[in-house]
Structure formats: C-alpha cells, structure tokens
Amino acid sequence: MGQNNLYSREMIKQEFNQPKLFKLLAENTFFHIEKINMTFKKNTTIPLYQDDTEYIYYICDGIASVSITDEVFEFKGPSEFIGLSDSMINTNNEDFKVTTITETIIWRFLKSDVIAKIMSTQEGYLFHYLSMLDQYSLFTKKLMTMKKTHKERVFIALQEVGKKFGTLTNRANYVKIPPVFTRNLIAQYVGIGLTKLSDSLLALQEEDLIQMTSKREIILEIESLI
C-alpha cells in the first residue's frame, strides 16, 4: 500500500513535522540518546562534521544561514533541524557552512543516534523521508528560480524571508524584513551582486511591490501568513 493511501498530505504535515520529531528524540521512555544544549554567538560557524563525527542540531531560538561556497542556500530558524537532511550535500566539505546570523540556542545530537532512534520506530522512516523530500523540493525550487529575472528572484527571496521571519506591521498581511537580513546576505541568498540587488530593490519599490523606510528597512505584503 502506498504512502498516499495511508496518510493524507495534511495529516502527514501535522503528524511528522520537525517539532514532533524533536519531541520523539528528546523523550527517554525508550532508546535514550544524549543531547547537549548549546548557545552560539552571532556570526559563528556551527560544525556539522567534526573529528569524524556528524552532528544534527535543533534550533530553539535564533537564525542560521546554510551556504555553499559564497552563496546562501537557505535560512534555518526556530523549531527546525540543521543537518538532518543535509546528507544530500557533502557536509564535511569546507565549502559547506552553517553560520549563525543571530545568537542561536540549539540542542545538539549525534547524527548516528538520531538515525538509529528514528528507524527504531514503526513509522520513523517517514520523518527522515519527508525531511529529505523537503530538501529535494528546496533544490528544485532554487533551480527553477534561477531562470527568472534578477528582480523576480529578489522579490521571491523577500517573500520567502518575510513569510518565515518577517515581523508584523500595523497593516494586515504586511511584514518588515528583520535588519539581520542585510543587503549583503540577501544578495548572497539570491546569487547576485550588491549593485544588481540595489537595482532590483529600486525597481520593486517603483512598482509598489515593496516599501523602504528611512532606515532602509524593507516592508512588503505577504499573500498569506497562514
């Protein structure tokens, strides 16, 4: 019987999300695994691979960027794992980095312990499978976005950051991009230079797709915050 016959898409999202996986890993009624609470200062590299050991992290508070060479691939925030599905990337490659962009509080697990505990549960493979599926979808979306214009790519990136990390304003569905997402960081995420980013932001502002305050803060409308 296929997965779609066992679970509806919405049920899978509700029952096999990352916070529930963390709860599974943290509880000690069976297959106890060690976890360490750690705090990383802003602009600190989080090691996924160290001394022949692979780690997985669960973010309690803070934001980190995942980058390959000089391009930011994605941003991770509270209630998300780092390293769980990054086996699609060579995590011991020096070009692959996870860097905090705010002070970040995390729980650290040994990756081997996490995989062992997940696979010891009746339906644990779904946690890992869905995490890998999300990572694959992210790769696919990145590739598709690269075909768009610079302005379109910048707007898509701002929408993504706004939905995930934006702070609400006094206007319905309008959010402000947090200042930790600097122009340089956004440019790295989009994969363009600062000049092209500035041109794209100006064009978006002229089309009333974004607003920029006197402090250079970016405000934009998000279609849905649900």
Side-chain angles (χ1 to χ4, degrees):
M1 184 180 293
Q3 177 183 314
N4 289 336
N5 294 325
L6 288 171
Y7 306 101
S8 70
R9 185 180 298 271
E10 286 305 313
M11 179 182 175
I12 289 174
K13 288 181 180 179
Q14 292 174 9
E15 297 300 321
F16 299 97
N17 55 46
Q18 295 191 52
K20 287 195 174 183
L21 174 56
F22 173 71
K23 185 177 180 181
L24 171 68
L25 297 176
E27 64 88 22
N28 296 318
T29 57
F30 81 100
F31 207 123
H32 172 73
I33 59 176
E34 296 293 333
K35 63 182 186 297
I36 299 175
N37 188 243
M38 305 175 72
T39 299
F40 290 91
K41 294 181 179 180
K42 181 179 178 179
N43 296 327
T44 302
T45 298
I46 300 179
L48 293 182
Y49 187 92
Q50 194 173 37
D51 298 328
D52 296 323
T53 301
E54 286 188 87
Y55 296 105
I56 286 177
Y57 301 87
Y58 183 77
I59 300 178
C60 300
D61 189 41
I63 306 171
S65 66
V66 179
S67 61
I68 304 172
T69 59
D70 294 327
E71 184 172 335
V72 175
F73 185 73
E74 64 175 320
F75 297 106
K76 297 282 192 178
S79 302
E80 288 190 289
F81 280 95
I82 301 174
L84 180 61
S85 56
D86 296 300
S87 54
M88 299 177 72
I89 308 171
N90 185 8
T91 56
N92 64 347
N93 188 317
E94 62 181 11
D95 290 333
F96 179 86
K97 292 183 179 179
V98 178
T99 307
T100 59
I101 64 174
T102 67
E103 182 176 89
T104 305
I105 302 171
I106 58 91
W107 284 101
R108 190 184 76 178
F109 300 87
L110 288 177
K111 187 168 186 175
S112 57
D113 286 351
V114 171
I115 299 302
K117 184 163 186 175
I118 288 175
M119 296 309 171
S120 71
T121 63
Q122 185 176 2
E123 296 172 326
Y125 78 96
L126 278 172
F127 281 116
H128 193 253
Y129 170 75
L130 291 172
S131 181
M132 294 289 285
L133 195 62
D134 286 344
Q135 196 72 38
Y136 177 79
S137 297
L138 186 61
F139 272 102
T140 303
K141 186 176 181 180
K142 270 284 188 180
L143 288 174
M144 294 300 293
T145 302
M146 294 302 292
K147 299 179 181 180
K148 297 184 179 295
T149 67
H150 292 148
K151 183 184 72 175
E152 290 171 332
R153 286 160 58 186
V154 170
F155 189 62
I156 290 170
L158 293 176
Q159 285 276 326
E160 291 172 350
V161 172
K163 283 185 179 181
K164 193 169 181 179
F165 302 106
T167 57
L168 293 173
T169 68
N170 55 6
R171 297 180 64 186
N173 290 340
Y174 277 80
V175 298
K176 182 188 298 181
I177 302 296
V180 294
F181 292 94
T182 62
R183 296 291 192 274
N184 189 51
L185 194 59
I186 294 172
Q188 290 176 34
Y189 183 47
V190 179
I192 60 177
L194 286 171
T195 300
K196 290 179 179 177
L197 174 65
S198 296
D199 292 342
S200 297
L201 290 174
L202 182 60
L204 291 170
Q205 187 178 24
E206 289 175 347
E207 294 176 24
D208 292 326
L209 291 173
I210 67 170
Q211 302 167 23
M212 283 191 279
T213 69
S214 58
K215 297 180 180 180
R216 300 185 72 201
E217 297 169 316
I218 299 172
I219 297 174
L220 72 160
E221 182 179 14
I222 302 297
E223 291 182 1
S224 175
L225 296 176
I226 299 174

PDB file of all heavy atoms in Angstrom, residues 4-34:
ATOM      1  N   ASN A   4       0.441   7.461   0.081  1.00  0.00           N
ATOM      2  CA  ASN A   4      -0.722   8.324  -0.076  1.00  0.00           C
ATOM      3  C   ASN A   4      -2.016   7.641   0.360  1.00  0.00           C
ATOM      4  O   ASN A   4      -2.998   8.306   0.671  1.00  0.00           O
ATOM      5  CB  ASN A   4      -0.848   8.782  -1.532  1.00  0.00           C
ATOM      6  CG  ASN A   4       0.247   9.773  -1.901  1.00  0.00           C
ATOM      7  OD1 ASN A   4       0.794  10.427  -1.024  1.00  0.00           O
ATOM      8  ND2 ASN A   4       0.574   9.859  -3.172  1.00  0.00           N
ATOM      9  N   ASN A   5      -2.017   6.304   0.366  1.00  0.00           N
ATOM     10  CA  ASN A   5      -3.199   5.577   0.829  1.00  0.00           C
ATOM     11  C   ASN A   5      -3.258   5.491   2.343  1.00  0.00           C
ATOM     12  O   ASN A   5      -4.311   5.266   2.923  1.00  0.00           O
ATOM     13  CB  ASN A   5      -3.210   4.161   0.235  1.00  0.00           C
ATOM     14  CG  ASN A   5      -3.393   4.183  -1.270  1.00  0.00           C
ATOM     15  OD1 ASN A   5      -4.099   5.026  -1.798  1.00  0.00           O
ATOM     16  ND2 ASN A   5      -2.747   3.243  -1.962  1.00  0.00           N
ATOM     17  N   LEU A   6      -2.111   5.611   2.986  1.00  0.00           N
ATOM     18  CA  LEU A   6      -2.065   5.508   4.440  1.00  0.00           C
ATOM     19  C   LEU A   6      -2.337   6.844   5.117  1.00  0.00           C
ATOM     20  O   LEU A   6      -2.991   6.897   6.150  1.00  0.00           O
ATOM     21  CB  LEU A   6      -0.682   5.000   4.877  1.00  0.00           C
ATOM     22  CG  LEU A   6      -0.390   3.522   4.585  1.00  0.00           C
ATOM     23  CD1 LEU A   6       1.074   3.225   4.863  1.00  0.00           C
ATOM     24  CD2 LEU A   6      -1.277   2.619   5.432  1.00  0.00           C
ATOM     25  N   TYR A   7      -1.839   7.915   4.529  1.00  0.00           N
ATOM     26  CA  TYR A   7      -1.923   9.223   5.165  1.00  0.00           C
ATOM     27  C   TYR A   7      -2.303  10.281   4.139  1.00  0.00           C
ATOM     28  O   TYR A   7      -1.813  10.274   3.020  1.00  0.00           O
ATOM     29  CB  TYR A   7      -0.584   9.615   5.786  1.00  0.00           C
ATOM     30  CG  TYR A   7      -0.024   8.604   6.745  1.00  0.00           C
ATOM     31  CD1 TYR A   7       0.989   7.737   6.356  1.00  0.00           C
ATOM     32  CD2 TYR A   7      -0.519   8.516   8.048  1.00  0.00           C
ATOM     33  CE1 TYR A   7       1.497   6.802   7.240  1.00  0.00           C
ATOM     34  CE2 TYR A   7      -0.016   7.588   8.936  1.00  0.00           C
ATOM     35  CZ  TYR A   7       0.994   6.723   8.534  1.00  0.00           C
ATOM     36  OH  TYR A   7       1.494   5.803   9.396  1.00  0.00           O
ATOM     37  N   SER A   8      -3.155  11.190   4.540  1.00  0.00           N
ATOM     38  CA  SER A   8      -3.429  12.348   3.697  1.00  0.00           C
ATOM     39  C   SER A   8      -2.251  13.299   3.802  1.00  0.00           C
ATOM     40  O   SER A   8      -1.471  13.251   4.750  1.00  0.00           O
ATOM     41  CB  SER A   8      -4.709  13.055   4.143  1.00  0.00           C
ATOM     42  OG  SER A   8      -4.484  13.694   5.393  1.00  0.00           O
ATOM     43  N   ARG A   9      -2.103  14.184   2.840  1.00  0.00           N
ATOM     44  CA  ARG A   9      -0.997  15.145   2.845  1.00  0.00           C
ATOM     45  C   ARG A   9      -1.012  16.009   4.105  1.00  0.00           C
ATOM     46  O   ARG A   9       0.005  16.247   4.739  1.00  0.00           O
ATOM     47  CB  ARG A   9      -1.080  16.026   1.596  1.00  0.00           C
ATOM     48  CG  ARG A   9       0.094  16.988   1.428  1.00  0.00           C
ATOM     49  CD  ARG A   9      -0.073  17.813   0.173  1.00  0.00           C
ATOM     50  NE  ARG A   9      -0.081  16.969  -0.997  1.00  0.00           N
ATOM     51  CZ  ARG A   9       1.035  16.632  -1.663  1.00  0.00           C
ATOM     52  NH1 ARG A   9       2.194  17.068  -1.251  1.00  0.00           N
ATOM     53  NH2 ARG A   9       0.957  15.874  -2.737  1.00  0.00           N
ATOM     54  N   GLU A  10      -2.193  16.486   4.497  1.00  0.00           N
ATOM     55  CA  GLU A  10      -2.291  17.342   5.684  1.00  0.00           C
ATOM     56  C   GLU A  10      -1.972  16.569   6.953  1.00  0.00           C
ATOM     57  O   GLU A  10      -1.341  17.083   7.872  1.00  0.00           O
ATOM     58  CB  GLU A  10      -3.694  17.952   5.776  1.00  0.00           C
ATOM     59  CG  GLU A  10      -3.944  19.066   4.776  1.00  0.00           C
ATOM     60  CD  GLU A  10      -2.910  20.171   4.867  1.00  0.00           C
ATOM     61  OE1 GLU A  10      -2.613  20.621   5.994  1.00  0.00           O
ATOM     62  OE2 GLU A  10      -2.377  20.573   3.825  1.00  0.00           O
ATOM     63  N   MET A  11      -2.404  15.316   7.011  1.00  0.00           N
ATOM     64  CA  MET A  11      -2.118  14.502   8.195  1.00  0.00           C
ATOM     65  C   MET A  11      -0.620  14.279   8.345  1.00  0.00           C
ATOM     66  O   MET A  11      -0.078  14.333   9.451  1.00  0.00           O
ATOM     67  CB  MET A  11      -2.833  13.154   8.092  1.00  0.00           C
ATOM     68  CG  MET A  11      -2.574  12.240   9.286  1.00  0.00           C
ATOM     69  SD  MET A  11      -3.396  10.648   9.106  1.00  0.00           S
ATOM     70  CE  MET A  11      -2.778   9.807  10.566  1.00  0.00           C
ATOM     71  N   ILE A  12       0.049  14.049   7.217  1.00  0.00           N
ATOM     72  CA  ILE A  12       1.497  13.845   7.256  1.00  0.00           C
ATOM     73  C   ILE A  12       2.186  15.088   7.799  1.00  0.00           C
ATOM     74  O   ILE A  12       3.084  15.015   8.634  1.00  0.00           O
ATOM     75  CB  ILE A  12       2.023  13.484   5.853  1.00  0.00           C
ATOM     76  CG1 ILE A  12       1.576  12.070   5.476  1.00  0.00           C
ATOM     77  CG2 ILE A  12       3.539  13.584   5.800  1.00  0.00           C
ATOM     78  CD1 ILE A  12       1.909  11.666   4.070  1.00  0.00           C
ATOM     79  N   LYS A  13       1.767  16.267   7.318  1.00  0.00           N
ATOM     80  CA  LYS A  13       2.365  17.519   7.785  1.00  0.00           C
ATOM     81  C   LYS A  13       2.162  17.712   9.283  1.00  0.00           C
ATOM     82  O   LYS A  13       3.035  18.196   9.988  1.00  0.00           O
ATOM     83  CB  LYS A  13       1.759  18.703   7.020  1.00  0.00           C
ATOM     84  CG  LYS A  13       2.216  18.813   5.572  1.00  0.00           C
ATOM     85  CD  LYS A  13       1.589  20.031   4.911  1.00  0.00           C
ATOM     86  CE  LYS A  13       2.031  20.173   3.463  1.00  0.00           C
ATOM     87  NZ  LYS A  13       1.397  21.349   2.807  1.00  0.00           N
ATOM     88  N   GLN A  14       0.984  17.337   9.779  1.00  0.00           N
ATOM     89  CA  GLN A  14       0.665  17.526  11.186  1.00  0.00           C
ATOM     90  C   GLN A  14       1.366  16.509  12.075  1.00  0.00           C
ATOM     91  O   GLN A  14       1.817  16.840  13.171  1.00  0.00           O
ATOM     92  CB  GLN A  14      -0.849  17.436  11.392  1.00  0.00           C
ATOM     93  CG  GLN A  14      -1.628  18.583  10.763  1.00  0.00           C
ATOM     94  CD  GLN A  14      -3.123  18.384  10.856  1.00  0.00           C
ATOM     95  OE1 GLN A  14      -3.601  17.478  11.539  1.00  0.00           O
ATOM     96  NE2 GLN A  14      -3.890  19.208  10.155  1.00  0.00           N
ATOM     97  N   GLU A  15       1.457  15.274  11.616  1.00  0.00           N
ATOM     98  CA  GLU A  15       1.965  14.197  12.460  1.00  0.00           C
ATOM     99  C   GLU A  15       3.464  13.976  12.359  1.00  0.00           C
ATOM    100  O   GLU A  15       4.056  13.347  13.238  1.00  0.00           O
ATOM    101  CB  GLU A  15       1.234  12.893  12.120  1.00  0.00           C
ATOM    102  CG  GLU A  15      -0.256  12.930  12.408  1.00  0.00           C
ATOM    103  CD  GLU A  15      -0.555  13.210  13.885  1.00  0.00           C
ATOM    104  OE1 GLU A  15       0.178  12.685  14.751  1.00  0.00           O
ATOM    105  OE2 GLU A  15      -1.502  13.971  14.154  1.00  0.00           O
ATOM    106  N   PHE A  16       4.088  14.450  11.290  1.00  0.00           N
ATOM    107  CA  PHE A  16       5.501  14.160  11.092  1.00  0.00           C
ATOM    108  C   PHE A  16       6.310  15.433  10.845  1.00  0.00           C
ATOM    109  O   PHE A  16       7.181  15.480  10.000  1.00  0.00           O
ATOM    110  CB  PHE A  16       5.672  13.176   9.914  1.00  0.00           C
ATOM    111  CG  PHE A  16       4.994  11.860  10.155  1.00  0.00           C
ATOM    112  CD1 PHE A  16       3.734  11.629   9.637  1.00  0.00           C
ATOM    113  CD2 PHE A  16       5.599  10.871  10.913  1.00  0.00           C
ATOM    114  CE1 PHE A  16       3.084  10.417   9.861  1.00  0.00           C
ATOM    115  CE2 PHE A  16       4.956   9.664  11.138  1.00  0.00           C
ATOM    116  CZ  PHE A  16       3.698   9.434  10.617  1.00  0.00           C
ATOM    117  N   ASN A  17       5.986  16.484  11.633  1.00  0.00           N
ATOM    118  CA  ASN A  17       6.729  17.731  11.479  1.00  0.00           C
ATOM    119  C   ASN A  17       7.984  17.726  12.360  1.00  0.00           C
ATOM    120  O   ASN A  17       8.180  16.825  13.188  1.00  0.00           O
ATOM    121  CB  ASN A  17       5.832  18.937  11.784  1.00  0.00           C
ATOM    122  CG  ASN A  17       5.197  18.848  13.160  1.00  0.00           C
ATOM    123  OD1 ASN A  17       5.882  18.543  14.133  1.00  0.00           O
ATOM    124  ND2 ASN A  17       3.905  19.111  13.241  1.00  0.00           N
ATOM    125  N   GLN A  18       8.819  18.740  12.202  1.00  0.00           N
ATOM    126  CA  GLN A  18      10.096  18.758  12.913  1.00  0.00           C
ATOM    127  C   GLN A  18       9.970  18.929  14.432  1.00  0.00           C
ATOM    128  O   GLN A  18      10.715  18.291  15.177  1.00  0.00           O
ATOM    129  CB  GLN A  18      11.006  19.831  12.299  1.00  0.00           C
ATOM    130  CG  GLN A  18      11.363  19.483  10.853  1.00  0.00           C
ATOM    131  CD  GLN A  18      12.452  20.334  10.279  1.00  0.00           C
ATOM    132  OE1 GLN A  18      13.529  20.486  10.859  1.00  0.00           O
ATOM    133  NE2 GLN A  18      12.199  20.907   9.111  1.00  0.00           N
ATOM    134  N   PRO A  19       9.041  19.774  14.943  1.00  0.00           N
ATOM    135  CA  PRO A  19       8.883  19.828  16.397  1.00  0.00           C
ATOM    136  C   PRO A  19       8.495  18.482  17.010  1.00  0.00           C
ATOM    137  O   PRO A  19       8.950  18.134  18.105  1.00  0.00           O
ATOM    138  CB  PRO A  19       7.764  20.866  16.588  1.00  0.00           C
ATOM    139  CG  PRO A  19       7.889  21.755  15.400  1.00  0.00           C
ATOM    140  CD  PRO A  19       8.251  20.826  14.266  1.00  0.00           C
ATOM    141  N   LYS A  20       7.663  17.707  16.300  1.00  0.00           N
ATOM    142  CA  LYS A  20       7.283  16.392  16.828  1.00  0.00           C
ATOM    143  C   LYS A  20       8.451  15.412  16.759  1.00  0.00           C
ATOM    144  O   LYS A  20       8.586  14.534  17.617  1.00  0.00           O
ATOM    145  CB  LYS A  20       6.071  15.857  16.078  1.00  0.00           C
ATOM    146  CG  LYS A  20       4.783  16.584  16.442  1.00  0.00           C
ATOM    147  CD  LYS A  20       3.549  15.837  15.997  1.00  0.00           C
ATOM    148  CE  LYS A  20       2.286  16.534  16.522  1.00  0.00           C
ATOM    149  NZ  LYS A  20       1.049  15.811  16.186  1.00  0.00           N
ATOM    150  N   LEU A  21       9.297  15.573  15.753  1.00  0.00           N
ATOM    151  CA  LEU A  21      10.494  14.741  15.698  1.00  0.00           C
ATOM    152  C   LEU A  21      11.413  15.064  16.869  1.00  0.00           C
ATOM    153  O   LEU A  21      11.975  14.159  17.496  1.00  0.00           O
ATOM    154  CB  LEU A  21      11.230  14.954  14.378  1.00  0.00           C
ATOM    155  CG  LEU A  21      12.580  14.240  14.241  1.00  0.00           C
ATOM    156  CD1 LEU A  21      12.431  12.744  14.477  1.00  0.00           C
ATOM    157  CD2 LEU A  21      13.193  14.513  12.876  1.00  0.00           C
ATOM    158  N   PHE A  22      11.559  16.350  17.187  1.00  0.00           N
ATOM    159  CA  PHE A  22      12.386  16.727  18.334  1.00  0.00           C
ATOM    160  C   PHE A  22      11.830  16.124  19.619  1.00  0.00           C
ATOM    161  O   PHE A  22      12.585  15.617  20.456  1.00  0.00           O
ATOM    162  CB  PHE A  22      12.456  18.250  18.459  1.00  0.00           C
ATOM    163  CG  PHE A  22      13.157  18.705  19.709  1.00  0.00           C
ATOM    164  CD1 PHE A  22      14.525  18.564  19.854  1.00  0.00           C
ATOM    165  CD2 PHE A  22      12.437  19.264  20.761  1.00  0.00           C
ATOM    166  CE1 PHE A  22      15.175  18.969  21.021  1.00  0.00           C
ATOM    167  CE2 PHE A  22      13.071  19.667  21.925  1.00  0.00           C
ATOM    168  CZ  PHE A  22      14.438  19.521  22.055  1.00  0.00           C
ATOM    169  N   LYS A  23      10.514  16.161  19.763  1.00  0.00           N
ATOM    170  CA  LYS A  23       9.883  15.570  20.950  1.00  0.00           C
ATOM    171  C   LYS A  23      10.189  14.082  21.040  1.00  0.00           C
ATOM    172  O   LYS A  23      10.456  13.554  22.118  1.00  0.00           O
ATOM    173  CB  LYS A  23       8.366  15.799  20.899  1.00  0.00           C
ATOM    174  CG  LYS A  23       7.623  15.329  22.148  1.00  0.00           C
ATOM    175  CD  LYS A  23       6.135  15.662  22.040  1.00  0.00           C
ATOM    176  CE  LYS A  23       5.390  15.186  23.284  1.00  0.00           C
ATOM    177  NZ  LYS A  23       3.930  15.487  23.184  1.00  0.00           N
ATOM    178  N   LEU A  24      10.156  13.397  19.900  1.00  0.00           N
ATOM    179  CA  LEU A  24      10.479  11.975  19.863  1.00  0.00           C
ATOM    180  C   LEU A  24      11.923  11.731  20.283  1.00  0.00           C
ATOM    181  O   LEU A  24      12.212  10.833  21.082  1.00  0.00           O
ATOM    182  CB  LEU A  24      10.245  11.424  18.453  1.00  0.00           C
ATOM    183  CG  LEU A  24      10.740   9.996  18.187  1.00  0.00           C
ATOM    184  CD1 LEU A  24       9.922   8.987  18.985  1.00  0.00           C
ATOM    185  CD2 LEU A  24      10.683   9.674  16.700  1.00  0.00           C
ATOM    186  N   LEU A  25      12.825  12.554  19.777  1.00  0.00           N
ATOM    187  CA  LEU A  25      14.234  12.380  20.105  1.00  0.00           C
ATOM    188  C   LEU A  25      14.539  12.714  21.568  1.00  0.00           C
ATOM    189  O   LEU A  25      15.413  12.110  22.189  1.00  0.00           O
ATOM    190  CB  LEU A  25      15.095  13.268  19.197  1.00  0.00           C
ATOM    191  CG  LEU A  25      15.048  12.972  17.695  1.00  0.00           C
ATOM    192  CD1 LEU A  25      15.878  13.992  16.937  1.00  0.00           C
ATOM    193  CD2 LEU A  25      15.533  11.562  17.399  1.00  0.00           C
ATOM    194  N   ALA A  26      13.809  13.674  22.121  1.00  0.00           N
ATOM    195  CA  ALA A  26      14.088  14.150  23.481  1.00  0.00           C
ATOM    196  C   ALA A  26      13.510  13.254  24.568  1.00  0.00           C
ATOM    197  O   ALA A  26      14.022  13.218  25.688  1.00  0.00           O
ATOM    198  CB  ALA A  26      13.553  15.566  23.651  1.00  0.00           C
ATOM    199  N   GLU A  27      12.423  12.543  24.245  1.00  0.00           N
ATOM    200  CA  GLU A  27      11.805  11.718  25.301  1.00  0.00           C
ATOM    201  C   GLU A  27      12.666  10.481  25.560  1.00  0.00           C
ATOM    202  O   GLU A  27      13.346   9.972  24.680  1.00  0.00           O
ATOM    203  CB  GLU A  27      10.377  11.350  24.908  1.00  0.00           C
ATOM    204  CG  GLU A  27      10.234  10.491  23.675  1.00  0.00           C
ATOM    205  CD  GLU A  27      10.305   9.021  24.012  1.00  0.00           C
ATOM    206  OE1 GLU A  27      10.043   8.681  25.168  1.00  0.00           O
ATOM    207  OE2 GLU A  27      10.642   8.229  23.124  1.00  0.00           O
ATOM    208  N   ASN A  28      12.623  10.008  26.821  1.00  0.00           N
ATOM    209  CA  ASN A  28      13.553   8.967  27.260  1.00  0.00           C
ATOM    210  C   ASN A  28      12.889   7.649  27.647  1.00  0.00           C
ATOM    211  O   ASN A  28      13.509   6.818  28.305  1.00  0.00           O
ATOM    212  CB  ASN A  28      14.359   9.490  28.461  1.00  0.00           C
ATOM    213  CG  ASN A  28      15.238  10.664  28.092  1.00  0.00           C
ATOM    214  OD1 ASN A  28      15.871  10.662  27.039  1.00  0.00           O
ATOM    215  ND2 ASN A  28      15.270  11.672  28.956  1.00  0.00           N
ATOM    216  N   THR A  29      11.637   7.440  27.258  1.00  0.00           N
ATOM    217  CA  THR A  29      10.967   6.193  27.634  1.00  0.00           C
ATOM    218  C   THR A  29      11.551   5.001  26.894  1.00  0.00           C
ATOM    219  O   THR A  29      11.448   3.865  27.357  1.00  0.00           O
ATOM    220  CB  THR A  29       9.458   6.283  27.357  1.00  0.00           C
ATOM    221  OG1 THR A  29       9.254   6.593  25.969  1.00  0.00           O
ATOM    222  CG2 THR A  29       8.810   7.353  28.230  1.00  0.00           C
ATOM    223  N   PHE A  30      12.139   5.227  25.730  1.00  0.00           N
ATOM    224  CA  PHE A  30      12.840   4.157  25.017  1.00  0.00           C
ATOM    225  C   PHE A  30      13.966   4.771  24.210  1.00  0.00           C
ATOM    226  O   PHE A  30      13.928   5.942  23.834  1.00  0.00           O
ATOM    227  CB  PHE A  30      11.883   3.380  24.105  1.00  0.00           C
ATOM    228  CG  PHE A  30      11.608   4.062  22.794  1.00  0.00           C
ATOM    229  CD1 PHE A  30      12.268   3.668  21.633  1.00  0.00           C
ATOM    230  CD2 PHE A  30      10.699   5.109  22.713  1.00  0.00           C
ATOM    231  CE1 PHE A  30      12.021   4.298  20.428  1.00  0.00           C
ATOM    232  CE2 PHE A  30      10.450   5.746  21.507  1.00  0.00           C
ATOM    233  CZ  PHE A  30      11.110   5.341  20.356  1.00  0.00           C
ATOM    234  N   PHE A  31      14.993   4.025  23.985  1.00  0.00           N
ATOM    235  CA  PHE A  31      16.124   4.414  23.157  1.00  0.00           C
ATOM    236  C   PHE A  31      16.636   5.797  23.543  1.00  0.00           C
ATOM    237  O   PHE A  31      16.609   6.738  22.753  1.00  0.00           O
ATOM    238  CB  PHE A  31      15.742   4.384  21.677  1.00  0.00           C
ATOM    239  CG  PHE A  31      16.918   4.140  20.759  1.00  0.00           C
ATOM    240  CD1 PHE A  31      16.925   3.080  19.882  1.00  0.00           C
ATOM    241  CD2 PHE A  31      18.022   4.987  20.764  1.00  0.00           C
ATOM    242  CE1 PHE A  31      18.004   2.859  19.031  1.00  0.00           C
ATOM    243  CE2 PHE A  31      19.102   4.774  19.922  1.00  0.00           C
ATOM    244  CZ  PHE A  31      19.096   3.699  19.049  1.00  0.00           C
ATOM    245  N   HIS A  32      17.111   5.914  24.767  1.00  0.00           N
ATOM    246  CA  HIS A  32      17.632   7.197  25.242  1.00  0.00           C
ATOM    247  C   HIS A  32      18.857   7.607  24.430  1.00  0.00           C
ATOM    248  O   HIS A  32      19.774   6.816  24.221  1.00  0.00           O
ATOM    249  CB  HIS A  32      18.017   7.081  26.720  1.00  0.00           C
ATOM    250  CG  HIS A  32      18.746   8.286  27.237  1.00  0.00           C
ATOM    251  ND1 HIS A  32      18.117   9.487  27.480  1.00  0.00           N
ATOM    252  CD2 HIS A  32      20.064   8.473  27.547  1.00  0.00           C
ATOM    253  CE1 HIS A  32      19.002  10.362  27.923  1.00  0.00           C
ATOM    254  NE2 HIS A  32      20.187   9.770  27.973  1.00  0.00           N
ATOM    255  N   ILE A  33      18.867   8.860  23.959  1.00  0.00           N
ATOM    256  CA  ILE A  33      20.052   9.394  23.289  1.00  0.00           C
ATOM    257  C   ILE A  33      20.440  10.709  23.951  1.00  0.00           C
ATOM    258  O   ILE A  33      19.602  11.464  24.416  1.00  0.00           O
ATOM    259  CB  ILE A  33      19.826   9.608  21.773  1.00  0.00           C
ATOM    260  CG1 ILE A  33      18.673  10.582  21.492  1.00  0.00           C
ATOM    261  CG2 ILE A  33      19.559   8.289  21.077  1.00  0.00           C
ATOM    262  CD1 ILE A  33      18.492  10.874  20.009  1.00  0.00           C
ATOM    263  N   GLU A  34      21.731  10.948  24.000  1.00  0.00           N
ATOM    264  CA  GLU A  34      22.249  12.155  24.651  1.00  0.00           C
ATOM    265  C   GLU A  34      22.019  13.383  23.774  1.00  0.00           C
ATOM    266  O   GLU A  34      22.102  13.316  22.553  1.00  0.00           O
ATOM    267  CB  GLU A  34      23.740  12.001  24.933  1.00  0.00           C
ATOM    268  CG  GLU A  34      24.095  10.899  25.910  1.00  0.00           C
ATOM    269  CD  GLU A  34      23.598  11.193  27.321  1.00  0.00           C
ATOM    270  OE1 GLU A  34      23.460  12.388  27.666  1.00  0.00           O
ATOM    271  OE2 GLU A  34      23.349  10.231  28.062  1.00  0.00           O
TER     272      GLU A  34
END
